[in-house]
Amino acid sequence: MSPKVSIRPIQTDEIDQLIKISKQCFHQTFDPWRALEDVNTYIQRAYTREKLLSELKTTTSKMFFAFVDNQIAGYLKVNWGSSQTENNWPEAFEIQRIYVLKQFQGLHVGSALMHKAISMAKEEHFHRVWLGVWEHNDKAQKFYHYFGFKIEDEHTFMMGDTAQRDLMMVKDI
Ligand SMILES: CC(C)(COP(=O)(O)OP(=O)(O)OC[C@H]1O[C@@H](n2cnc3c(N)ncnc32)[C@H](O)[C@@H]1OP(=O)(O)O)[C@@H](O)C(=O)NCCC(=O)NCCS
């Protein structure tokens, strides 16, 4: 039986927990596949206290923690308007980050975060949700297909100083 998952917005005074889970999830996801130097460079640039705090305060982004038994199990970052990381679809809603810690994967925490993202997009009257995923991240791609996302385009994502091909997956809602 799946555990009870609860989701709520991340507060600015939870910045330390956000930094910790951001780094942990990124390492868990990419260390087995990518040069550690690139992973570390990405983390040093993207997950600074200043950057994450400013993202938490941005009015065109929202971040959520998922909890299992009062433990932080995963997190979600969604963007719209000028906060989107690409502007292929200016009127769309982006899922920029959806990550579940390894020990909580397969327990429907990711599903709960995905449902949160889609329901928020609907409440805010968006009709299109998109995300970027590394071309070789098969596990995440299967998860997105399961939720009805389809590959529609591609873009370049900088993993540290190395360019990688990301697929842009889209779901109309
Ligand atoms: C991808 C990720 C968010 C999925 O979260 P999760 O909590 O492990 O997934 P869930 O338990 O909610 O799975 C939901 C459903 O998706 C399907 N699914 C999940 N992983 C799957 C996989 N690897 N292959 C096929 N289907 C899968 C399952 O069918 C499952 O439903 P079911 O158990 O009712 O059949 C999570 O594994 C993760 O954080 N991965 C590493 C980080 C990452 O790659 N993030 C995306 C960066 S773009």
Side-chain angles (χ1 to χ4, degrees):
M1 207 179 80
S2 292
K4 189 176 172 327
V5 180
S6 59
I7 294 177
R8 64 156 174 77
I10 303 176
Q11 310 299 320
T12 47
D13 64 0
E14 293 173 309
I15 184 68
D16 289 331
Q17 293 95 313
L18 177 61
I19 294 170
K20 186 174 171 201
I21 194 174
S22 300
K23 292 181 175 178
Q24 227 175 335
C25 287
F26 205 80
H27 274 303
Q28 288 183 351
T29 305
F30 293 107
D31 283 4
W33 309 101
R34 309 304 304 268
L36 192 55
E37 197 186 328
D38 283 334
V39 173
N40 282 333
T41 303
Y42 179 87
I43 284 175
Q44 279 157 19
R45 288 177 188 160
Y47 299 144
T48 64
R49 177 175 298 268
E50 295 67 34
K51 209 160 195 174
L52 290 174
L53 259 181
S54 120
E55 288 175 358
L56 274 176
K57 291 175 184 166
T58 303
T59 53
T60 45
S61 285
K62 194 103 187 158
M63 284 193 251
F64 298 89
F65 277 142
F67 293 87
V68 170
D69 297 333
N70 295 323
Q71 282 182 274
I72 298 173
Y75 79 105
L76 168 73
K77 178 174 190 276
V78 294
N79 304 322
W80 58 95
S82 57
S83 289
Q84 293 181 89
T85 59
E86 297 280 353
N87 58 4
N88 290 37
W89 306 288
E91 304 304 322
F93 183 92
E94 176 186 14
I95 297 176
Q96 186 189 356
R97 296 178 185 140
I98 181 165
Y99 284 94
V100 177
L101 286 167
K102 236 182 176 48
Q103 66 264 39
F104 294 103
Q105 288 179 11
L107 300 175
H108 293 150
V109 176
S111 298
L113 288 168
M114 179 59 83
H115 285 300
K116 178 76 203 173
I118 293 171
S119 66
M120 185 179 169
K122 284 183 179 164
E123 278 162 27
E124 300 294 330
H125 309 291
F126 289 96
H127 298 292
R128 178 159 264 220
V129 182
W130 73 274
L131 52 87
V133 57
W134 182 37
E135 60 176 328
H136 299 301
N137 190 346
D138 294 339
K139 185 175 170 175
Q141 282 179 45
K142 280 183 187 152
F143 174 76
Y144 300 141
H145 277 299
Y146 178 84
F147 277 93
F149 284 82
K150 295 194 168 54
I151 297 167
E152 232 177 73
D153 208 341
E154 60 181 68
H155 69 164
T156 300
F157 175 87
M158 290 308 293
M159 172 67 85
D161 293 321
T162 304
Q164 73 175 39
R165 182 172 166 254
D166 266 20
L167 305 173
M168 296 171 87
M169 299 183 74
V170 172
K171 177 183 168 72
D172 288 324
I173 55 172

